[in-house]
Amino acid sequence: MDEQQEMKVKNPWHRPHIFLATAGIAAAIIIMVAIAVVQNKPLQQKYKYGIVLDAGSSHTSVYIYEWPAEKENNTGMVKQKQACSVKGPGISSYSKTPEKAGESLKECMDNATKTIPKHRHPETPVYLGATAGMRLLKMENDVDSKKVLASVEKSLQTYPFSYQGARIITGQEEGAFGWITVNYLSENFRKASRTVGALDLGGASTQITFVPGQQVESSDNSIDFRLYGNDYHLYTHSFLCYGKDQVLKLYLEQQIQPNADMTDNIILEDPCFHPGYNIIKSFQSVFDSPCVKNLTNSQKGQNFTHRGIGNWNKCNQAIKEVFNTSHCRYSRCSFNDVFQPPVTGRFGAFSAYFFVMDFLNVTPDHSLDEAKKILEAYCTTPWGTLKQKHRKVKEKYLAEYCFSGTYIVSLLEDGYKFTTNDWKNTEFIKTIKNSEAGWTLGYMLNLTNMIPAEAPDTPLLPYGGYVSLMLVLSFLIIVCIILGCIFFRRPSGPAHKEII
Ligand SMILES: Nc1ncnc2c1ncn2[C@@H]1O[C@H](COP(=O)(O)OP(=O)(O)O)[C@@H](O)[C@H]1O
Ligand SMILES: [Ca+2]
């Protein structure tokens, strides 16, 4: 055999079965790499969007939510993309200049137009829900409240989104949707885990919502949902006038003894305000709400001196007076003749519960007694010292944290009958997985039918598992084909012998 001939015989590419095997394996690798690349390529995510405006008593926030376009009915998919805080007060404050209510939304709505991709604008729903500030305005002056709603409606309709309405939501809705939000974000529906109760504290009203251990005796307090294949019977109540701003008015009304002809120079020595706090206020500024009594015209023009004395025990005692526990027409009540079953399970407390407790550095690790000690120390701190220490905090907030913190503890303990153990089961939260806790997300999920009543049929395998299984099977099939080729084509002639 000459040299050239020998080279030809020894060159493995001239053996068909080796060539075939190598080509087969190469093809398999190429297919697998191709699938892996397609799989991991950050697919251009297609998101859908929704906008909810929370028109609260003290301010309005505009929330933008987003979710993957293909997975609308999967719980846990909707996330908060952006929150924009509207400048100025809540919309109910524009009762005498209603056109300004709509104008106030402009900056945040313009922002939303920029944030949401243009091609999604026409299909993006916009909802506005107004809470207790507007409930109170409606009680006071129905015409004014309608004008304010018409003004925000007009403003929202100028945007390229799908406007779905502006309305005053009920206290039950506010409570129930807050509960849906926290449990949706915690994925308690999808996992069918125990739900957490929801506590919302606003400026004008406050809500408590949980799954009770017993029958709800009053139909006003009962609300049912079927979510993801499970039935939930909720207890919920909203106390109008018991948000932290309105309850301060109730408290001050009790502190300033009714006096037919209020003379000037009335001094209120207030245990819930700091020593050194000394501010002249008009009676009108306190008695400007349907939560408190009407003033006579002569009383309206009068002032009083609001003087802090910083006595936490007295403050705590005085705050208890805002809860009327003298009557209960049910087997049990929280206060003001409102039915409430015993609280049970864990609670998430958000909105002003969080703002106040976060400022005071009260965490779930503090016992109820420790929280009271922290409050006592804060309430007795002189006003001047506090102002020096917290120059950046709004003075109104700073002055009221003693009252609000003491009210929160009393609302839970004396109002809702929380035990020290229930307190341990309560967490003060602002967000869950970067989405804010509050009624807005639950409201949108409900109105867009995004939480299915029944659990969707789950595929036998999750998507990732399905792809892996297909890859392994394809690989095995290719290997089998190659081995088959090798086996059936194995020549028994001289070429074979020459290799050896
Ligand atoms: N940083 C803060 N510190 C203390 N209180 C705050 C802070 N931010 C907001 N708040 C208060 O939270 C409450 C929010 O209530 P809001 O949602 O406007 O009213 P409602 O839900 O009763 O309609 C208001 O009392 C507001 O003053
Ligand atoms: Ca609110």
Side-chain angles (χ1 to χ4, degrees), residues 54 56 131 174 200 202 351 439:
D54 174 356
T131 49
E174 197 176 357
D200 185 346
S351 194
W439 59 267

Side-chain angles (χ1 to χ4, degrees), residues 317-333:
Q317 284 308 316
I319 285 180
K320 284 182 193 190
E321 304 286 310
V322 300
F323 307 116
N324 183 349
T325 49
S326 61
H327 295 286
C328 179
R329 74 185 108 149
Y330 305 99
S331 64
R332 50 194 311 141
C333 283

